[in-house]
Structure formats: structure tokens, C-alpha cells
Amino acid sequence: MVGRSKVPRRQVILEALAGELEKSPGGRITTAALARATGVSEAALYRHFASKAKMFEGLIAFAEESVFARINQILAGEKSTRARCAKVLYLLLAFADRNPGITRVLLGDALVGEQARLHARVEQFFARIETQLKQILRESRMREGEHRNPNDIERGATLMLALVEGRMHRYLRTRFKVSPLEKWDGEWGLIEPALFPD
């Protein structure tokens, strides 16, 4: 009989933190509450993470690894610019939908009063996504011979990212009742022709 591998304690703590963030949107999470949720002492939490900021960094790192690994797969498997952009945006919305607690961190809601470096790291996460979208649009110019104005590339990437962030904010504002994927296909159908005119 094959034995089940034990989940590393650090992962258990991060999953509990994400769960607590989801359970109390708008509220702060104390290390005492987190210790109760994980079934360990506060001292045990600090043996795995030097501070609560380090725990938040762990959630941000998870988001970065998950999202950018999947974006790389999309780019490797899809050549159409429209499809690449659509799949990247859907990926971001689906990640937010599946990870409401981490969404609070990415939008800065859970980071109120936390260290500036956490806010900078989240800002960098979204900047990387915007850069990736710009790169997709630039590559289409070269590959497909499009004569797209460079300003349109900048504006298109900014618009797509703003659309995703707006849906994520609505998800948070509704306390995770309105999925960021709700009616997404219809909304994308309205915006896609403006971004990719024939």
C-alpha cells in the first residue's frame, strides 16, 4: 500500500491564511486566528515564517508561479494574437475566482498597514502582466504584419488589464458573490472587435 505524502507545514499555513482571508473579506487576519485555523501555536507559525509579511509574500509567490507558468504554456501552444489575449485574461479571472483570499492580497485589500515592499511586489505582478500583453500585441505586429500604431499597443494592454482588475475588484466588493467570470464571454465579445479590428 502506498502511503500518502505529508503536506509541508509551510503550505498548510499558506492555505489556511488564504482561507481565512476568504472567510473575512475586509477584515484583518491575526496570527492568533491563523494559529487556530492551522491547529498550531503562534510560535510554530513563526518557526516557518519570520513574519506575517513573509506569509503574504508566500501567497504572492504562489500567484506569480501559477499565473506566469500558465501564461508561458498559453504562448507556447497558441499562435493567434486574439486567442492568446483572450486566454491570458480568462486565466487571470479564473485564478481570482478559484483563489478569493489571494485576490484580496493581489488587490492590496489584505495588505492595509503592511510593509511597502508587499505593495511593490503586487504592483510588479500586475506590471509583468501588462508587459506580457504588450509583448503579445507587439509580436502580432511583427508576425502577422499588422500595421498597429505603437500607441494602440500600449492602450490595448492597459485596457485589457484594467478590465481584469475591475472584475477582480467587483468580486472583492461583492464579498466573492459575483464571480469575475460571470458574463465574461459577452463582455469580451463587445471589447474584442475594438482591440482587434479586421
Side-chain angles (χ1 to χ4, degrees):
M1 188 165 125
V2 178
R4 251 174 63 178
S5 60
K6 191 175 176 186
V7 178
R9 177 68 71 182
R10 285 175 62 89
Q11 184 180 332
V12 169
I13 293 168
L14 291 177
E15 287 173 2
L17 176 57
E20 290 298 303
L21 288 167
E22 179 181 352
K23 277 193 255 178
S24 57
R28 289 181 56 88
I29 306 303
T30 64
T31 52
L34 185 56
R36 278 193 302 278
T38 55
V40 300
S41 67
E42 286 185 67
L45 290 178
Y46 288 116
R47 278 198 293 277
H48 296 283
F49 292 95
S51 64
K52 194 161 66 165
K54 290 288 186 189
M55 295 177 205
F56 284 128
E57 280 183 6
L59 292 180
I60 296 167
F62 171 77
E64 290 169 341
E65 290 162 16
S66 302
V67 167
F68 291 107
R70 184 67 188 109
I71 286 175
N72 288 336
Q73 291 173 352
I74 290 168
L75 298 182
E78 184 60 67
K79 298 305 171 204
S80 159
T81 302
R82 285 178 185 233
R84 280 178 161 189
C85 289
K87 287 181 177 183
V88 167
L89 299 186
Y90 186 89
L91 162 70
L92 295 167
L93 296 173
F95 180 85
D97 190 50
R98 284 191 307 269
N99 299 284
I102 296 175
T103 299
R104 282 191 64 196
V105 175
L106 294 176
L107 295 176
D109 174 68
L111 301 180
V112 174
E114 293 294 334
Q115 298 173 4
R117 79 169 189 274
L118 292 173
H119 294 276
R121 182 124 180 228
V122 165
E123 196 174 311
Q124 182 183 22
F125 173 83
F126 285 106
R128 280 181 69 189
I129 291 168
E130 188 169 7
T131 298
Q132 189 66 73
L133 291 169
K134 287 177 192 174
Q135 187 62 34
I136 291 169
L137 296 175
R138 278 191 203 102
E139 285 175 9
S140 83
R141 261 180 91 195
M142 294 182 287
R143 190 177 56 249
E144 299 164 20
E146 287 185 10
H147 300 292
R148 191 183 289 258
N149 181 327
N151 290 331
D152 288 347
I153 289 173
E154 185 90 21
R155 287 191 289 259
T158 301
L159 176 62
M160 286 188 279
L161 184 59
L163 183 59
V164 166
E165 285 188 80
R167 285 181 152 263
M168 289 170 70
H169 274 287
R170 181 180 66 172
Y171 186 42
L172 176 59
R173 187 182 69 245
T174 62
R175 299 189 178 267
F176 311 126
K177 289 182 182 72
V178 178
S179 167
L181 292 168
E182 185 174 297
K183 299 180 182 174
W184 167 247
D185 290 338
E187 197 168 312
W188 177 244
L190 286 173
I191 292 164
E192 185 184 25
L195 290 167
F196 305 101
D198 291 326

